[in-house]
Amino acid sequence: MTACSPARTAGRLLTGEFTLADGRRAVPVFQLLTERYRSPEYSPEAVSARCGVAAQKIRRIAAELAHVAFERAIVHPQPWTDCGGRRHESMIGRPVAMHAMRGISAHSNGFHTCRALHLLQMLLGAIDCPGGFRYEAPFPRPCPAAPKPAGKTSAPGQPLDGMPLGHPCGPEDLLVDAAGGPLRIDKAYSWEAPLAAHGLMHMVIRNAWAGDPYPIDTLFLYMTNLSWNSAMNTADTTGMLTDKRADGEYRIPRIIYSDAFFSEMVAFADLVLPDTTYLERWDCISLLDRPISTADGPADSIRRPVLKPDRDVRPFQDVLIELGAKLDLPGFVARDGSPLYEDYADYLVRHERKPGIGSLAGWRGRDGGSDGVGEPNPGQLDKYIENQCFWKYELPPEQRYFKHANRDYLETAKRFGFIEKAEPIVLQIYCEPLQRFRLAARGHGAVQPPDAHRGRIETYFDPLPIWYVPFSEAAVDGQTFPLHAVTQRPMPMYHSWHSQNAWLRQILSHNRLYVNRARAAELGLDDEDWVWVVSHHSRLKCQIRLMEGVNPDTVWTWNAIGKRAGAWNLSADAPESTRGFLLNHLIAELLPAASTVRYANCDPVTGQAAWYDLRVRIEKALPDQAGNAEPQFPAVSRLPNMASPPGIVRDARMDPGAPGGGR
Amino acid sequence: MHPALSIIFFTTSSGVGYGLLAWIGLLAPIGALPLTRQFGAVSLLLALGCITAGLLSSTLHLGHPERAWRAISQWRSSWLSREGVAAIATYVPALTFAGLWLFDARNGGWAVCGWLAAAGSIVTVICTAMIYRSLKPIRQWYNRWVIPNYLMLAAMTGALWLTAVLAALDVLRPAATALAAAFVLAAAAVKLAYWRSIDQNSAGSTLASATGLPPGRPIRPLDPPHTEENYLLREMGYRIARRHAAKLRRIALGGGFFVPLILLALAWLLRGAAASAVLALVAAVAATAGVVVERWLFFAEATHTVALYYRGEAGSSVR
Amino acid sequence: MTSLPAPQPGAKKLGLVIDLDTCVGCHACVVSCKEWNAFGETGPLPEFGPYQAEPWGVWLNRVHTFEVGDGEDGRTVYFPKNCYHCEEPDCVTVCPTGASYKRAEDGIVLVDAALCIGCKLCSWACPYGAREFDEDGGVMKKCTLCVDRIYDENLPEGDRIPACVAACPTSARHFGDLGDASSAVSKLVAERGGCDSMPEMGYRPVSKYLPPRSIRPTRVRDERSEHKTAGGNGFLQWIDRVLSR
């Protein structure tokens, strides 16, 4: 087969050590792979007890993966051309697909576990092939992708000189001061979390409270319930938000918060900017962010207002655009200082990130005849509305697979602005940017980590995937806290605000802790028992449900069902608060003190919050403790003039207080 | 099943009324009862009053009581409709019977009306019982003892009220007292047989048959479709603690059967004295109260197959 | 009339076929059903205490979650449940007013809200809990198989299916004529051993369930499952062999 002829040559170069023409020595990555993963440390026997899967079964699964990928390959009779210009008569599918979402990345070893999974996909050839993992536009992109995080030259009172989030390629891209200390309030892109591509939002309140790296006067938050289900720890965060200095001033003096709902966070705000709901505003699910693309082509969508707000609210995006203009921020004011955009709908249509590329990719160009790239089209939103609020571009069949190495696709991707050049996207087994950080830690280069962080950078910036015990798990006694505790999002209720939906609330108005049936029997626990769940940091009380389908060493519950009493305009005796609970009552923001530096409880590479590193034990509650969840916080007091919820909803369309849908 | 007070009152009260009407309609034409206008007026007023109050009460649990008249249309298929038809039809001979009696026009037609009213009463009680007896999803009702149970309890309470009226207006008649005592014993026997039957037979339907999942493996409910009680659970998922049920059965047996029997015996011993009338009345009241408890249990102990989906078994009691 | 229509050979029997193998328990069918029917001919489907301590409301479709088997054999089964439009439904025959009826032309079981007196007897007579009482309107509500959708010629033909079927993201719900042995749904039932819920009740549900398939591990050639102990080169040789294929 043509496709494999380069590999045939490569096959002979996989092993050993080579001397390059310039005299340097080189070792193929497969040699490194072999040495590492064939070591006893990574043998099925070594990991079997830890993951609760018998060594024999691990072998069987591995053999199944290989068998299916190589013996049961499927042939899709679709000719295509690779990036080397070679034509193939068909597409070879390796029908092995893996599903992983946020669970893995919610561990402090998550980055490397994700890399390990990806490595396995690469070895199996199950990358963007029929039956395998498939890219969705705007991906694949070269790694690391542009741009780099802005903020090196940031100063108080001055606008940032670029995008706040980005992808550092080496130590020189970090946002650190001369002493190696963090520049950002969340310490993202510092030596504590160098590749923090998502920022460390969960650490902002603690850092602001501690004045570390500096105090702030105003905290401005939008639609993130940072005192409750988005807090690493509810009680700690509540304490920090209300803590005062010796002079009587709050440690975080001013809090501005925008939310469409009366979430737990609202109670802490000095200024509330009431937002509209999804039904009352324009929104954009853009290819520049997290679009609705499928593997068969790029797609994006909008939400449009279908209800007129019946209360004094404004879409927060409109507010941001107006604030941007009032603050004279670049991109929001014209040369004469006048506002550039009327509102968010106007911004969606006219804002261009690069010439021809804006928030929406459909119906671009003056006449709306251009896909992906083109001049702003004043009638663009109408076109979206005509097409049920979405745009989709169907890739021609020959471009739908092997996108990283598919010549025609790469040209399409360049045309749409997904990539700069129509060049093959190299999948990195050996991750060079990681090695750059490691070399810095080993004393190479101009930008090196402060000594306190040196060891950590060297250990965790391994260019090949590694596994290590998650930090907070390693820091506590496994006998005392023998269980992992994790959450998952219920399918019908994705977010905490879904308890505002009178329908969804009936499906799930309180949560239980799910415990493996056999494990519960060992612990003397029965279905529906009330238990204390104890972490090294704090404890909570909840009701359990026994099930078979959970690992005996793991307990889990639904995410974000538990509410603070009185919040969300639910009655104070609502089951969400009397019986619902959050694992966030137990998680610690910081790792237990073990070294000179008190690190955040997150991944050392990406700074991703390690929600799932939680270790607990469960103890049966006393009989007189049954019936209500703990901890209970004082009920949130109602805002003045807040309407009481209706006692009966006959027709959700008629009752704006009860969003439920309509047609 | 949720014990709705309006239905408990309805079946108890109409049971008393039809029982009493049946006894009067059967016994008066053969001269076994006093034929005074006073006795006719009081006893028939009591019977028809209980029937009418019961029927009116039965409309209280309807979502649309004003449409209740529609319920007589589907007598071809529906026992509830048949009950309505029978109840209305029974009024015709019963009211004629009462009218002829009160206007001293007792003749052959009067006797026939009495017997027709008695027959209508029995048919109506059977229709009421069949409403429950025909419901396959509720095994405690889809039971051969349900019809004897309803008939016997109606006959018993009717006989006890007849005895009480006789004692108050006339004298305690040995035959009527013996009749009442006999039906107390018979009804108690039927009730015990019913309880024995529902305690022994187990549900034919299981979660395996409901889901079609292979029966060899355990099937357990993991999560319900909703976390709070809905209509199905409120209406058909009603549960009563086993120990409460046992206690209530003892109360129903004691109040409904044992106490009336003792009181009847006492009344018999004291016959002629004013106290005997009081004792007979208390016996009737106690039996009726016992039937209210029995009827409450008839609902509370009944389990519906819909509970299978929530609890894995239809008949599980509260721990 | 609450008497059942006389069975006609070859009569249309519309119903659902629900695949318990592919249902993932997302409740999309539940919410979609509510959305369509709350505002259609069946509505309203009211909510009681929607933001209070014991919220409840009228729904025509529910998803239960069960667990089958123990230990490693245990598996979670999601079980969507709405009216099966039975061939011999006692819920129809017990109705005293004629509000409940079964259509002769397609077998759909409906409630005429204008005739319903709200006696609840039909909900007692249904073994499956498919009928829910609207306490606010005083009438019984049930699945109509989206009768106001499946025959609506104003809708594109592909949309003339029940809302629950249209919403299912895993295509676990199928709609069609189970009276026609050659229909796609009938074939599916035949192929997959589709079954009735509580056949012992004798109601003869039209809608069927397809049981979960048993999981068989992939048969792997023995040599592949054996652990090579020849050291690094064995692995490399294997990669070489694979890449050279």
Side-chain angles (χ1 to χ4, degrees), chain A residues 253-264:
Chain A
R254 283 184 292 278
I255 297 174
I256 305 173
Y257 184 50
S258 178
D259 201 326
F261 303 106
F262 186 51
S263 69
E264 282 84 354

Side-chain angles (χ1 to χ4, degrees), chain B residues 1-2 4 7 59 61-82 131-132 134-138 141-142 204-214 217-232 234-236 299 304-312, chain C residues 1-3 20 27 53-57 62-71 73-77 79 81 84 88 90 92-99 112-121 123-133 135 137-140 195-203 209 211-212:
Chain B
M1 299 297 292
H2 170 69
I7 300 186
T59 65
H61 92 286
L62 296 181
H64 282 281
E66 79 285 0
R67 298 179 187 164
W69 59 272
R70 291 185 181 278
I72 55 170
S73 67
Q74 303 301 312
W75 50 270
R76 283 196 220 56
S77 74
S78 165
W79 283 105
L80 177 51
S81 195
R82 287 169 193 159
I131 294 173
Y132 306 102
S134 65
L135 293 173
K136 292 179 204 152
I138 305 157
W141 293 355
Y142 192 66
S205 293
T206 61
L207 198 47
S209 76
T211 57
L213 293 168
R217 308 162 72 192
I219 307 173
R220 290 173 288 256
L222 182 60
D223 282 315
H226 44 92
T227 44
E228 304 302 316
E229 290 213 323
N230 68 344
Y231 166 73
L232 299 175
R234 285 159 190 251
E235 182 77 3
M236 289 169 280
F299 278 84
H304 193 282
T305 47
V306 75
L308 285 171
Y309 298 102
Y310 291 92
R311 298 178 193 133
Chain C
M1 284 306 277
T2 54
S3 297
L20 300 181
H27 285 74
E54 295 176 351
W56 68 287
R62 305 271 190 182
V63 178
H64 290 261
T65 309
F66 301 123
E67 198 169 62
V68 190
D70 290 328
D73 294 330
R75 66 182 292 176
T76 305
V77 175
F79 189 82
K81 179 168 73 66
Y84 303 134
E88 291 182 28
D90 283 3
V92 169
T93 53
V94 299
C95 175
T97 68
D112 182 344
L115 297 182
C116 178
I117 57 172
C119 71
K120 305 180 186 171
L121 189 55
S123 66
W124 297 0
C126 172
Y128 312 109
R131 290 172 172 244
E132 296 197 13
F133 189 62
E135 242 168 47
V139 293
M140 193 57 72
C195 58
D196 288 353
S197 180
M198 294 190 213
E200 67 280 3
M201 282 283 152
Y203 285 45
Y209 286 104

Side-chain angles (χ1 to χ4, degrees), chain A residues 2-82:
Chain A
T2 349
C4 297
S5 56
R8 186 166 295 163
T9 329
R12 297 188 200 102
L13 300 174
L14 291 178
T15 175
E17 212 177 277
F18 299 87
T19 306
L20 302 181
D22 61 5
R24 288 181 302 165
R25 288 187 311 130
V27 179
V29 70
F30 283 93
Q31 179 73 31
L32 301 178
L33 281 186
T34 311
E35 284 165 11
R36 173 166 295 173
Y37 303 117
R38 299 278 291 168
S39 71
E41 189 191 347
Y42 284 90
S43 69
E45 283 73 15
V47 302
S48 171
R50 190 189 296 140
C51 61
V53 182
Q56 198 50 42
K57 197 170 190 176
I58 295 175
R59 289 215 170 77
R60 197 203 79 212
I61 292 169
E64 274 186 23
L65 289 173
H67 176 81
V68 170
F70 303 121
E71 305 290 327
R72 300 265 181 97
I74 50 179
V75 178
H76 177 42
Q78 170 62 53
W80 66 290
T81 307
D82 71 28

Side-chain angles (χ1 to χ4, degrees), chain A residues 153-476:
Chain A
T153 59
S154 65
Q158 294 300 313
L160 268 184
D161 56 359
M163 304 263 285
L165 298 177
H167 306 272
C169 298
E172 63 284 0
D173 296 332
L174 292 181
L175 303 179
V176 289
D177 60 20
L183 290 180
R184 283 172 50 126
I185 184 70
D186 64 352
K187 305 190 186 180
Y189 308 112
S190 74
W191 290 106
E192 294 183 37
L195 302 186
H198 288 237
L200 278 79
M201 194 158 61
H202 55 282
M203 294 309 294
V204 169
I205 289 173
R206 170 169 288 277
N207 294 349
W209 166 80
D212 172 19
Y214 42 76
I216 60 170
D217 58 20
T218 305
L219 182 65
F220 193 165
L221 299 167
Y222 165 55
M223 209 178 183
T224 175
N225 206 8
L226 271 178
S227 71
W228 195 248
N229 55 290
S230 298
M232 292 291 270
N233 188 280
T234 46
D236 289 356
T237 308
T238 299
M240 291 184 282
L241 289 169
T242 52
D243 194 18
K244 290 181 176 171
R245 303 190 306 235
D247 64 2
E249 174 61 279
Y250 281 109
R251 299 277 292 255
I252 304 174
R254 283 184 292 278
I255 297 174
I256 305 173
Y257 184 50
S258 178
D259 201 326
F261 303 106
F262 186 51
S263 69
E264 282 84 354
M265 189 62 213
V266 171
F268 298 97
D270 299 283
L271 175 63
V272 179
L273 304 176
D275 192 11
T276 44
T277 68
Y278 286 151
L279 303 176
E280 299 160 323
R281 66 176 187 234
W282 294 95
D283 271 308
C284 170
I285 299 89
S286 168
L287 280 160
L288 304 179
D289 182 31
R290 291 184 285 183
I292 61 162
S293 302
T294 72
D296 292 332
D300 61 18
S301 63
I302 61 164
R303 293 190 196 100
R304 67 182 177 106
V306 292
L307 289 178
K308 209 175 148 73
D310 62 343
R311 56 210 184 285
D312 188 13
V313 295
R314 284 187 71 196
F316 185 63
Q317 294 97 330
D318 288 358
V319 174
L320 278 183
I321 284 168
E322 187 177 329
L323 279 177
K326 286 190 169 167
L327 293 170
D328 282 336
L329 292 182
F332 290 93
V333 282
R335 213 157 282 171
D336 64 355
S338 63
L340 213 44
Y341 304 104
E342 202 176 312
D343 53 20
Y344 187 54
D346 186 32
Y347 176 88
L348 286 182
V349 172
R350 290 201 296 119
H351 167 72
E352 289 177 284
R353 183 173 285 188
K354 281 188 243 171
I357 294 179
S359 305
L360 292 168
W363 299 284
R364 296 197 70 86
R366 279 276 127 202
D367 58 350
S370 179
D371 272 327
V373 182
E375 272 183 278
N377 166 16
Q380 190 179 31
L381 294 177
D382 292 332
K383 286 288 190 187
Y384 271 84
I385 292 168
E386 276 171 37
N387 197 49
Q388 299 190 9
C389 291
F390 75 98
W391 166 84
K392 184 180 181 186
Y393 175 83
E394 290 272 346
L395 290 169
E398 70 275 13
Q399 297 184 22
R400 290 189 185 173
Y401 295 95
F402 313 116
K403 300 186 188 84
H404 51 291
N406 184 319
R407 188 188 64 186
D408 298 329
Y409 172 78
L410 290 167
E411 276 162 14
T412 302
K414 178 176 180 296
R415 184 161 61 79
F416 277 40
F418 302 152
I419 53 177
E420 295 288 330
K421 287 175 262 180
E423 287 174 359
I425 288 154
V426 177
L427 308 183
Q428 302 184 26
I429 293 175
Y430 183 93
C431 185
E432 289 288 355
L434 292 182
Q435 180 67 4
R436 282 183 211 123
F437 282 94
R438 171 177 267 190
L439 287 173
R442 286 176 179 168
H444 300 281
V447 185
Q448 292 184 20
D451 286 343
H453 301 300
R454 210 174 271 276
R456 176 162 143 134
I457 296 289
E458 180 175 8
T459 307
Y460 299 109
F461 279 73
D462 195 309
L464 290 177
I466 52 173
W467 189 89
Y468 49 93
V469 180
F471 295 149
S472 58
E473 183 179 341
V476 300

Side-chain angles (χ1 to χ4, degrees), chain B residues 138-161:
Chain B
I138 305 157
R139 68 168 181 87
Q140 291 85 352
W141 293 355
Y142 192 66
N143 180 297
R144 64 197 166 101
W145 288 103
V146 165
I147 291 170
N149 187 66
Y150 269 74
L151 280 174
M152 282 300 131
L153 286 167
M156 174 189 93
T157 47
L160 280 165
W161 281 102

